[in-house]
């Protein structure tokens, strides 16, 4: 699923809209998680991986309308995992450099597969996988 309202508001320079869209996403995510946990078919069998397609860099919010190679640090993104087969680590910081190209292999590992591609793919993110 793509929730691109935050991106739309950020490109438009509408920080208030951005914050509201982020809050709307948080509410939707909570509601979706509650729904999954209320269904016996999915309860305690579903993992969420949440991430973004790009970052915004470290510019002040008044200049926070772009990304790409001209925007320093916009290649830095965040991700979160939650579910029965993830480690409950809370917010973490690590000196290990992680990359977006590791998400597919990590997702496959949650499903018990070893993801392979003709394109360069990073290693699975062991840090979040329960063993």
């Amino acid at each position: 699923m793509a929730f691109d309202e935050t991106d739309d508001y950020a490109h438009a320079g509408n920080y208030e809209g951005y914050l509201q869209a982020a809050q709307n996403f948080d509410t939707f995510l909570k509601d979706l998680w509650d729904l999954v946990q209320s269904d016996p078919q999915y309860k305690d069998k579903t993992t969420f991986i949440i991430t973004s397609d790009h970052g915004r860099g470290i510019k002040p919010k008044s200049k926070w309308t772009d990304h790409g190679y001209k925007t320093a640090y916009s290649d830095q993104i965040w991700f979160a995992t939650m579910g029965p087969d993830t480690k409950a680590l809370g917010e973490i910081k690590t000196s290990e450099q992680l990359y977006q190209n590791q998400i597919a292999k990590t997702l496959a590992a949650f499903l018990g597969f070893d993801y392979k591609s003709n394109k360069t793919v990073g290693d699975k993110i062991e840090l979040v996988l329960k063993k």
Side-chain angles (χ1 to χ4, degrees):
M1 289 182 255
F3 299 94
D4 56 358
E5 290 82 9
T6 52
D7 193 49
D8 293 341
Y9 284 116
H11 281 297
N14 183 340
Y15 191 64
E16 186 175 317
Y18 172 87
L19 293 176
Q20 184 62 52
Q23 182 177 0
N24 291 344
F25 171 74
D26 288 349
T27 300
F28 175 81
L29 187 61
K30 179 200 177 300
D31 291 347
L32 183 59
W33 182 256
D34 290 346
L35 176 67
V36 165
Q37 292 303 307
S38 73
D39 186 325
Q41 183 173 351
Y42 298 104
K43 180 179 174 58
D44 297 330
K45 301 174 192 161
T46 303
T47 295
F48 286 6
I49 297 178
I50 306 107
T51 190
S52 60
D53 62 336
H54 60 77
R56 290 273 167 202
I58 56 173
K59 292 182 177 184
K61 66 183 177 188
S62 63
K63 306 229 185 261
W64 212 44
T65 59
D66 206 2
H67 53 84
Y69 69 92
K70 292 182 181 178
T71 305
Y73 304 103
S74 68
D75 60 336
Q76 295 183 1
I77 62 169
W78 59 270
F79 76 98
T81 59
M82 57 190 271
D85 48 4
T86 66
K87 293 179 184 175
L89 301 171
E91 182 178 353
I92 60 168
K93 292 185 182 198
T94 176
S95 59
E96 177 185 13
Q97 179 71 45
L98 302 173
Y99 298 92
Q100 192 174 40
N101 71 359
Q102 294 177 265
I103 300 290
K105 197 161 222 174
T106 304
L107 174 64
F110 281 127
L111 297 171
F113 297 105
D114 183 20
Y115 180 79
K116 300 201 185 316
S117 174
N118 292 332
K119 297 182 180 186
T120 302
V121 177
D123 294 329
K124 62 188 170 194
I125 304 168
E126 296 284 349
L127 178 67
V128 299
L129 299 170
K130 249 187 194 175
K131 296 196 178 185

